[in-house]
Amino acid sequence: MDYGEELTAYGDFIKGTCNLMCPVNERKLRERERLLHPLERLEHPVSDVSNIIHTKRNLRRNGNYLADPNKIVKSFSRSAAGHKMPSPSDLRPFPALDMTVSYLIREIACNNIHTAGWVDRYNFVTDRLRAVRQDMVIQNLPSVDCIKLLKPMVKFHVFAAYWLCESPINVFDPKINSSFLQECIKRLLNMYDIIRKTANRDDSVFIPVTVDFNQAKKQLVYKGEYCNEEHLICALYLILNLGNAEALNQGIARLRFYGGCCQSCIESQAFEVSIASWHGNYNKVCKLIRNLSPLLGMAAAINLPSIRRHALIVMSTAYNNKTLKFPIDVLEETLMWNNQNQVVQDCKYYGVVVEKTEDTKLYARFQKETFNLHVKQLPPFRLQWLDKTLSDVALAKILADHC
Amino acid sequence: MNNYTINKYLDEVSNAWRTRNPVGLSNLLSLRHCHIASSKLHLPDAGSAVERFLQNPLDEVVVAHLRVIWALQTPDYAEAYRCQSLVVQAFSRMLLACRDDNWLLKAMFTVCLDLRLLAIQADKHNSDKGFGKSMEALEKAAECFMSCFRVCASDNRATNDDTKKWGMMSLVNQLFKVYFRVNKLHLCKPLIRAIDSSPYKDLFPVSQQVTYRYYVGRKAMFDSDYKTAGEYLTYAFERCHKQSKRNKRLILIYLVPIKMILGYMPQRKLLEKYDLLQFWELVQGVQSGDVRRLNEAMRQHQKFFVQCGIYLLLEKLKVIAYRNLFKKVYLLQKTHQISMEALLCALKMMDIEDIDLSETQCIVANLIYEGKIKGYISHQHQKLVVSKQNPFPPLSSLE
């Protein structure tokens, strides 16, 4: 269905006319009210004598900064009673939104990830992306456009969930981030559904799985660019909701839909991890996580604490014996801790006894009674082997490119 | 009887109303009764004619009902659906106004059922044309049912015989059907609570109880509460009328795997009778610990299992198959200290690829944790040490 058709089907929606990342009205207001984010200010030219003059021109008398028109981005404001319906000049049509998202991801999010200041960038991008979604919803953009906008948002929030997972709660709130993430990914999956239903009827887009397997494999069910990306997003959904029955049921239905032609694809991989988790097979889960792509690996890392906790509970029963011991280094390896110190700390936290023998090796002594079921689950931490692969450039590739 | 004139029809409605005839009124408002075939009743706007015969609020219901019939003739399913929801809304107001009496319940069931069926049609036509959210009409229909439900549930003052509370279970069943279809199972919980706390809980007609327990059982199944699921579905299966073979089969599709997980295997005779032999290979695979056969059967009937939404449930059977396989190893080795190597070897014989000793340990550990094997693992000696008494307790004895 093209844009025009969809519009007639859905009725008329307001269309934005603002071709900038930030409407002029808002820019003026925020300059006046000193509401510019440091990332949006006009930088002072560093050079020579003109420095002072320039600075004077850029700074108003009351000390306000001026906005850099290339950097200022519309900020989120909650729609509430008393707010007027935004006028077309305050809303950005798809091309401007697309430009905005791409600017936020490429120029802001993918820079300085290894510095402490990245959190500010995260907060900035999160807020501005939220405003993008608002514009998107108000104008009821067609599904194909929404997909383009939402995809990078999902990836960004997954990365942030992983990257900032060790930050204290006053700096980064995983709950809020996760609610944005779930909102984006659910909306996105919905859009794919709509597209698939349309594609189903239109044989020029949809190629049914034919008897000829290899042929089908080449054509990969869809033409067009959604295919790979859709698989990635669905894989992410499975991994984010690891072992969740509802997500798994959706996954089964989808994988069946593809027939046998996607056996080795990223989504089947993710499905396998999630099924292993559904079985409580912590060993297999961790084994499979190592082979996932970096983004999926990050999504999985967030879930590791619950996998580890479950594993320790199971082991406390299964290895329950007063004279037997279990080597810590094996635990470290199987359940993906970064070092033995971490293992010992976590074990002690949950009430698993750790001992040192004469050969100075560390052992866990599992006992059913000592496991503390009442303490809260530990927060996640970053994985060294995963971090090694991440740099500004690598991140730009993960977030902005097709995986 | 497709020669109903408008006057004859309205006369009968007003008669049914006056004599408080539940069946009569229900038929005259049904979309599955012969009067809808009469071309003389296909009236887009019968307002003036109806007002002469009937009083408010019944006239609203009838005008909307006639417009539904007209729209179905066109056929315009969206319009038919819209008007049927007006019927139900007007009906719920009428129900509210009709104090201390519940003779309208029968007709309420009819208009609600018709609304749900029409909503499904409307959604189907909508999505065929490619617009609208996939099950918008059905979700909206749930709101209409809720308005009736509220009227029924809050009817506290009437006597036992006259209370509209008797309508609750039927409405709950309609709502279940909607929520299961639109996949919003979490909305079932408050309804279950409402029925559970009702004094009439076990006094509703058996037919309604069967439907109710079927859905509550399935809900429990999704929440992995297999014991409850087993109880509810067993009731549904045993009390379901023996001529409703299709319904009995539907119940069995969920009851069989749940019973298997709880350790009760079905007989071939039963599966044959209800055309459910797809399960037979699974039963054999599980019973003999033949994981390969189980996997093969899962693959072969995958489509059927996925469509029924039980694929994930059946995955759980693998664990039981592992238990039975390990039990065989134990019986063969005749020792209480079974080496992990032997168990791994058995797993590999079952064509399980990429498995190693540590994953074998993990599978065994889970079995011990779930109480399916009594014993412990020694990592140092790579052995599973099983209890001298009853190392593999029967599954049906587990909590």
Side-chain angles (χ1 to χ4, degrees):
Chain A
M1 197 162 24
D2 63 35
Y3 191 42
E5 264 183 87
E6 204 162 305
L7 258 187
T8 43
Y10 282 77
D12 258 343
F13 283 86
I14 187 168
K15 272 190 215 165
T17 56
C18 166
N19 288 316
L20 300 165
M21 296 199 290
C22 179
V24 178
N25 284 339
E26 181 179 326
R27 189 175 84 208
K28 286 184 184 153
L29 173 95
R30 290 212 277 135
E31 278 178 344
R32 194 175 61 233
E33 303 294 332
R34 299 202 234 177
L35 290 167
L36 291 175
H37 192 277
L39 289 163
E40 296 173 324
R41 292 174 192 160
L42 199 59
E43 276 171 43
H44 316 146
V46 236
S47 60
D48 56 49
V49 209
S50 58
N51 200 350
I52 309 156
I53 311 162
H54 275 291
T55 315
K56 268 195 177 157
R57 200 189 303 149
N58 292 343
L59 291 171
R60 293 249 179 91
R61 261 166 304 153
N62 56 8
N64 273 0
Y65 285 93
L66 279 184
D68 183 336
N70 294 319
K71 287 183 179 168
I72 183 165
V73 184
K74 183 176 176 180
S75 67
F76 175 76
S77 101
R78 201 176 289 280
S79 61
H83 265 225
K84 267 189 239 146
M85 179 73 187
S87 74
S89 65
D90 291 333
L91 291 170
R92 297 158 291 178
F94 172 70
L97 290 174
D98 192 34
M99 179 177 81
T100 309
V101 172
S102 143
Y103 166 78
L104 289 170
I105 300 290
R106 279 172 204 272
E107 306 297 327
I108 308 290
C110 296
N111 274 315
N112 304 333
I113 60 166
H114 284 284
T115 62
W118 193 79
V119 174
D120 296 329
R121 287 172 179 260
Y122 162 76
N123 287 324
F124 177 73
V125 174
T126 301
D127 177 83
R128 302 314 192 246
L129 286 179
R130 204 173 171 193
V132 169
R133 289 200 292 281
Q134 200 178 30
D135 280 14
M136 182 183 97
V137 170
I138 294 176
Q139 300 176 80
N140 195 38
L141 294 182
S143 318
V144 184
D145 292 347
C146 294
I147 289 177
K148 276 195 196 126
L149 297 174
L150 288 167
K151 243 168 14 194
M153 295 188 194
V154 166
K155 294 184 190 172
F156 169 74
H157 284 297
V158 170
F159 170 73
Y162 171 73
W163 198 244
L164 299 173
C165 69
E166 293 174 20
S167 312
I169 186 87
N170 56 351
V171 175
F172 170 74
D173 187 335
K175 199 99 195 178
I176 293 176
N177 184 65
S178 139
S179 73
F180 286 139
L181 175 54
Q182 293 288 347
E183 178 202 324
C184 291
I185 201 164
K186 282 196 176 141
R187 202 184 280 271
L188 194 48
L189 290 174
N190 239 334
M191 298 291 171
Y192 282 125
D193 265 355
I194 294 173
I195 294 267
R196 186 161 349 102
K197 272 184 196 139
T198 331
N200 249 326
R201 279 187 309 275
D202 183 359
D203 286 348
S204 64
V205 188
F206 176 74
I207 300 155
V209 184
T210 48
V211 194
D212 183 357
F213 240 98
N214 285 328
Q215 194 63 25
K217 218 178 218 165
K218 266 181 222 149
Q219 292 167 337
L220 256 177
V221 189
Y222 294 99
K223 266 193 274 177
E225 61 122 352
Y226 337 108
C227 177
N228 294 324
E229 288 284 309
E230 184 183 347
H231 287 247
L232 173 68
I233 298 298
C234 293
L236 269 176
Y237 188 70
L238 279 166
I239 298 284
L240 286 170
N241 300 291
L242 209 58
N244 173 291
E246 207 183 315
L248 274 167
N249 270 323
Q250 285 178 25
I252 297 165
R254 283 178 42 84
L255 287 173
R256 255 214 60 78
F257 171 79
Y258 297 129
C261 70
C262 271
Q263 285 298 336
S264 61
C265 94
I266 191 165
E267 196 180 341
S268 324
Q269 266 182 23
F271 183 75
E272 221 185 316
V273 182
S274 193
I275 273 280
S277 168
W278 160 260
H279 279 302
N281 191 334
Y282 45 86
N283 194 290
K284 194 169 179 184
V285 172
C286 294
K287 230 184 317 186
L288 292 172
I289 285 179
R290 284 172 222 270
N291 304 328
L292 293 174
S293 72
L295 196 66
L296 289 172
M298 292 183 223
I302 308 165
N303 282 315
L304 275 177
S306 87
I307 302 283
R308 291 196 194 100
R309 179 171 180 270
H310 172 77
L312 292 178
I313 295 177
V314 170
M315 292 172 96
S316 290
T317 309
Y319 296 81
N320 176 29
N321 186 290
K322 289 205 176 75
T323 55
L324 294 175
K325 49 200 183 179
F326 195 98
I328 290 289
D329 53 343
V330 176
L331 271 182
E332 179 200 342
E333 169 69 19
T334 350
L335 294 171
M336 296 210 274
W337 270 285
N338 285 322
N339 51 55
Q340 297 208 8
N341 262 348
Q342 273 184 331
V343 191
V344 174
Q345 257 179 26
D346 289 11
C347 279
K348 283 188 178 155
Y349 177 81
Y350 287 121
V352 176
V353 182
V354 179
E355 281 173 9
K356 206 178 233 172
T357 51
E358 290 108 34
D359 56 349
T360 69
K361 267 190 85 173
L362 289 162
Y363 289 95
R365 217 176 261 294
F366 286 113
Q367 264 158 338
K368 208 155 113 190
E369 309 80 45
T370 62
F371 192 94
N372 189 348
L373 284 166
H374 305 295
V375 289
K376 249 172 67 184
Q377 184 177 296
L378 286 161
F381 51 78
R382 282 174 19 191
L383 304 172
Q384 276 161 9
W385 58 271
L386 201 54
D387 284 6
K388 272 187 215 145
T389 62
L390 290 171
S391 62
D392 287 6
V393 183
L395 180 65
K397 250 186 125 55
I398 294 171
L399 293 191
D401 287 3
H402 294 221
C403 163
Chain B
M1 279 231 280
N2 47 11
N3 49 2
Y4 260 95
T5 61
I6 179 74
N7 282 347
K8 180 166 183 273
Y9 172 75
L10 290 175
D11 196 39
E12 283 192 17
V13 174
S14 112
N15 243 328
W17 178 260
R18 239 179 323 104
T19 57
R20 298 158 30 106
N21 175 356
V23 181
L25 186 66
S26 160
N27 280 340
L28 290 164
L29 293 177
S30 166
L31 296 176
R32 288 155 291 143
H33 182 251
C34 55
H35 74 268
I36 75 154
S38 163
S39 57
K40 289 171 191 142
L41 293 184
H42 300 159
L43 302 166
D45 184 12
S48 51
V50 173
E51 270 162 29
R52 268 186 284 128
F53 271 85
L54 307 168
Q55 288 168 348
N56 197 287
L58 184 61
D59 63 337
E60 268 181 75
V61 176
V62 172
V63 170
H65 172 67
L66 289 172
R67 193 167 160 86
V68 175
I69 301 177
W70 166 79
L72 278 176
Q73 222 50 46
T74 315
D76 178 349
Y77 288 100
E79 180 63 14
Y81 160 73
R82 193 185 69 82
C83 296
Q84 184 68 18
S85 57
L86 292 181
V87 171
V88 175
Q89 278 160 14
F91 203 97
S92 80
R93 284 194 296 275
M94 193 159 86
L95 200 62
L96 185 66
C98 177
R99 281 183 206 287
D100 293 328
D101 206 344
N102 61 7
W103 75 275
L104 285 173
L105 286 180
K106 172 103 184 134
M108 181 193 75
F109 298 162
T110 305
V111 292
C112 285
L113 175 59
D114 283 338
L115 176 63
R116 187 172 59 82
L117 299 177
L118 262 181
I120 293 170
Q121 285 294 323
D123 281 330
K124 195 165 158 287
H125 282 265
N126 251 349
S127 76
D128 280 352
K129 277 188 226 146
F131 52 76
K133 287 185 203 120
S134 53
M135 296 206 234
E136 211 176 358
L138 198 55
E139 284 190 49
K140 287 248 169 74
E143 286 166 25
C144 296
F145 299 154
M146 274 315 281
S147 67
C148 289
F149 181 77
R150 273 189 286 269
V151 173
C152 292
S154 59
D155 188 18
N156 291 321
R157 297 225 307 252
T159 58
N160 272 355
D161 288 338
D162 294 332
T163 179
K164 294 194 252 301
K165 288 198 173 205
W166 290 110
M168 281 166 71
M169 190 173 265
S170 157
L171 285 167
V172 166
N173 287 341
Q174 291 293 335
L175 284 162
F176 279 165
K177 287 179 191 191
V178 174
Y179 293 153
F180 270 75
R181 214 176 167 110
V182 301
N183 205 8
K184 292 211 167 138
L185 298 192
H186 58 280
L187 296 173
C188 297
K189 209 171 161 191
L191 300 176
I192 297 174
R193 207 179 302 138
I195 295 292
D196 265 345
S197 60
S198 158
Y200 309 115
K201 190 174 136 192
D202 300 313
L203 301 173
F204 287 101
V206 177
S207 61
Q208 294 183 12
Q209 297 251 18
V210 168
T211 312
Y212 175 76
R213 304 219 181 186
Y214 168 72
Y215 282 107
V216 177
R218 284 187 61 191
K219 166 89 171 77
M221 180 191 106
F222 280 110
D223 298 336
S224 302
D225 181 357
Y226 302 127
K227 223 171 154 207
T228 313
E231 282 164 19
Y232 276 86
L233 288 168
T234 304
Y235 177 97
F237 183 71
E238 283 171 356
R239 304 298 298 274
C240 181
H241 198 281
K242 69 176 173 198
Q243 277 176 353
S244 312
K245 226 173 160 176
R246 189 177 154 271
N247 282 348
K248 285 201 132 187
R249 182 172 184 270
L250 280 176
I251 299 168
L252 273 186
I253 286 175
Y254 302 98
L255 186 55
V256 166
I258 281 169
K259 278 290 184 187
M260 280 168 83
I261 285 175
L262 296 172
Y264 302 90
M265 300 295 151
Q267 293 187 345
R268 192 184 160 96
K269 222 168 49 195
L270 177 85
L271 298 177
E272 241 166 25
K273 183 173 170 193
Y274 290 99
D275 185 25
L276 286 172
L277 279 176
Q278 291 95 327
F279 286 107
W280 184 242
E281 281 288 306
L282 299 184
V283 174
Q284 301 237 296
V286 171
Q287 263 177 337
S288 57
D290 192 340
V291 184
R292 185 174 35 197
R293 191 166 175 184
L294 175 65
N295 283 337
E296 192 46 51
M298 290 272 281
R299 218 167 299 141
Q300 197 189 335
H301 301 293
Q302 194 191 37
K303 191 175 172 195
F304 172 71
F305 296 146
V306 171
Q307 271 167 356
C308 300
I310 51 172
Y311 188 85
L312 209 53
L313 192 64
L314 296 175
E315 273 281 331
K316 286 260 183 231
L317 293 178
K318 277 188 191 163
V319 182
I320 300 173
Y322 287 144
R323 169 209 179 259
N324 293 347
L325 177 68
F326 294 159
K327 187 177 175 186
K328 279 193 162 173
V329 176
Y330 159 75
L331 291 172
L332 276 172
Q333 298 223 324
K334 296 192 184 99
T335 165
H336 290 283
Q337 301 194 352
I338 310 157
S339 77
M340 281 293 156
E341 282 289 350
L343 298 177
L344 175 60
C345 183
L347 288 173
K348 281 195 170 155
M349 267 175 64
M350 293 296 152
D351 292 345
I352 298 167
E353 293 158 13
D354 314 320
I355 194 160
D356 55 17
L357 274 174
S358 66
E359 195 183 329
T360 312
Q361 274 193 37
C362 175
I363 292 174
V364 176
N366 271 298
L367 282 167
I368 297 176
Y369 173 66
E370 288 167 19
K372 295 191 171 86
I373 297 179
K374 280 212 260 176
Y376 61 86
I377 305 169
S378 158
H379 184 265
Q380 278 148 306
H381 305 103
Q382 292 291 328
K383 288 227 159 95
L384 161 65
V385 182
V386 293
S387 150
K388 294 228 161 73
Q389 280 160 11
N390 205 8
F392 293 87
L395 294 174
S396 47
S397 71
L398 299 177
E399 263 307 292

